[in-house]
Amino acid sequence: MASGELIVVGTGIGLAGNMTASTESIIIQAEKLLYVVADVATAAHLEQLNSTAESIYSLYDESLDRIDTYYKMTECILDHVRAGLKTCAAFYGHPGIFVFPAHEAVLKARTEGYRAEMKAAVSAEDCLFADLGIDPGRVGCQSFEATDFLVYDRIFDPNSLLVLWQVGVIGQIGFRRQFPIGQNIEVLKEALRAHYPADHYVIVYEASVLPVCDPVIRPFRLDKLDPSALSPISTLVVPPLSSRRGPNIDMVRRLDIPERYILKRAEDPSLYDPAKPGALVNWPATV
Ligand SMILES: C[S@@+](CC[C@H](N)C(=O)[O-])C[C@H]1O[C@@H](n2cnc3c(N)ncnc32)[C@H](O)[C@@H]1O
């Protein structure tokens, strides 16, 4: 095996607070640290942990499609591995969630005969489950990148939770220092209206990036979803329709699940209502 190696890590959401101890130790021990993070405080923390730290955010170029920038980032990471260095590439959140160059760099390094691995980290969706009191085990969870959701006409179940990422930058394939935010939100509303009533409520969610701040949790009626409420870090949460389908009794029998268990679950005394995530139980359903 060639001498360089690559470990891709995530810094979690917000300041270093939810970075794991093992990630921090990988960052400290790296012979070269490359990073892309969303805030200056995390960048400063990384620079403090490792004196070789270098941001590759500067590779974003307004004249390029984002995909071309991602290939440039991949090559930059690989150049350090090829030079024989124990290289760490750090991205904010989970490095494997919506981070094209992270996956590409691991695959490319392995293809070229280097040891390469990715470590898990706290993503925006992990924060969302905690802040909104949503348990994906209760009704399932479908997660899509918003532009991908529209372009590929993704098939989903409106009786289950829907999470749409990058909702503030729908249709934007390039990079802008100042992204026009909220464009194409009417197109998304129209697509969602084919499955949900106009008064179905949706939530604009932003996990807190500073320990002193609360998360942004803004419920809207679907037809009143306001593009000015969105930012580049907004994620849209669409709770399931409240008229849940009943169980498939044939399947229950086939799986040999006692019917009394299903009946007991239907009468569940739990306060949890999947159509009203926990944090919002006392909030008005419309804004
Ligand atoms: C390129 S992706 C990066 C995701 C990141 N790797 C993660 O693990 O969460 C950017 C998108 O992640 C979501 N996101 C990033 N930061 C967020 C935050 N603080 N709160 C909610 N969603 C966030 C938004 O949907 C945003 O458009």
Side-chain angles (χ1 to χ4, degrees):
M1 192 152 276
S3 71
E5 72 170 50
L6 174 63
I7 307 187
V8 173
V9 298
T11 60
I13 294 294
L15 300 184
N18 57 28
M19 193 195 293
T20 65
S22 90
T23 290
E24 190 163 299
S25 139
I26 291 164
I27 286 172
I28 290 169
Q29 286 170 35
E31 291 167 347
K32 181 66 190 177
L33 173 64
L34 301 165
Y35 69 87
V36 182
V37 293
D39 63 278
V40 288
T42 304
H45 184 61
L46 295 177
E47 305 264 347
Q48 207 175 28
L49 289 178
N50 187 318
S51 61
T52 72
E54 182 182 340
S55 169
I56 51 172
Y57 186 86
S58 54
L59 293 176
Y60 276 114
D61 181 337
E62 295 210 356
S63 68
L64 294 180
D65 286 348
R66 250 183 292 170
I67 187 75
D68 295 324
T69 301
Y70 295 155
Y71 282 118
K72 272 171 72 180
M73 287 180 173
T74 306
E75 274 312 298
C76 172
I77 295 167
L78 260 293
D79 282 347
H80 290 87
V81 179
R82 291 177 191 127
L85 297 175
K86 206 163 130 187
T87 306
C88 175
F91 296 87
Y92 83 93
H94 186 303
I97 299 185
F98 299 96
V99 190
F100 182 93
H103 285 290
E104 196 66 13
V106 168
L107 292 173
K108 191 140 201 214
R110 285 181 187 158
T111 309
E112 294 183 17
Y114 299 101
R115 197 176 86 78
E117 64 176 315
M118 179 184 285
K119 301 286 187 190
V122 173
S123 73
E125 196 173 73
D126 296 313
C127 299
L128 181 158
F129 293 142
D131 287 337
L132 296 182
I134 291 174
D135 183 345
R138 301 291 280 266
V139 281
C141 175
Q142 308 152 99
S143 219
F144 297 98
E145 199 277 334
T147 304
D148 168 278
F149 177 77
L150 291 169
V151 169
Y152 290 95
D153 220 354
R154 293 291 181 199
I155 293 167
F156 71 103
D157 178 4
N159 291 290
S160 172
L161 179 75
L162 177 65
V163 177
L164 296 174
W165 300 64
Q166 305 202 144
V167 75
V169 290
I170 294 174
Q172 296 185 33
I173 56 161
F175 171 79
R176 300 278 169 276
R177 302 263 160 228
Q178 292 289 323
F179 273 110
I181 302 301
Q183 273 185 349
N184 294 318
I185 210 70
E186 292 306 320
V187 182
L188 177 66
K189 276 160 106 169
E190 194 183 307
L192 292 176
R193 280 284 287 112
H195 303 274
Y196 302 93
D199 64 355
H200 189 70
Y201 84 101
V202 298
I203 303 156
V204 173
Y205 170 72
E206 287 173 18
S208 166
V209 290
L210 291 172
V212 289
C213 296
D214 287 331
V216 172
I217 300 173
R218 292 193 63 185
F220 288 93
R221 276 174 60 118
L222 173 55
D223 61 346
K224 301 260 168 63
L225 175 59
D226 178 359
S228 73
L230 301 172
S231 83
I233 62 162
S234 299
T235 296
L236 190 73
V237 179
V238 186
L241 292 169
S242 49
S243 54
R244 292 185 65 193
R245 272 199 308 265
N248 175 343
I249 292 299
D250 285 344
M251 182 57 77
V252 169
R253 288 183 186 141
R254 204 169 152 202
L255 297 178
D256 210 15
I257 298 171
E259 273 178 54
R260 63 166 169 73
Y261 177 79
I262 299 297
L263 292 173
K264 199 168 158 208
R265 286 232 44 186
E267 291 163 5
D268 196 343
S270 164
L271 294 174
Y272 185 83
D273 178 352
K276 270 199 179 144
L280 300 171
V281 163
N282 296 318
W283 288 38
T286 56
V287 172

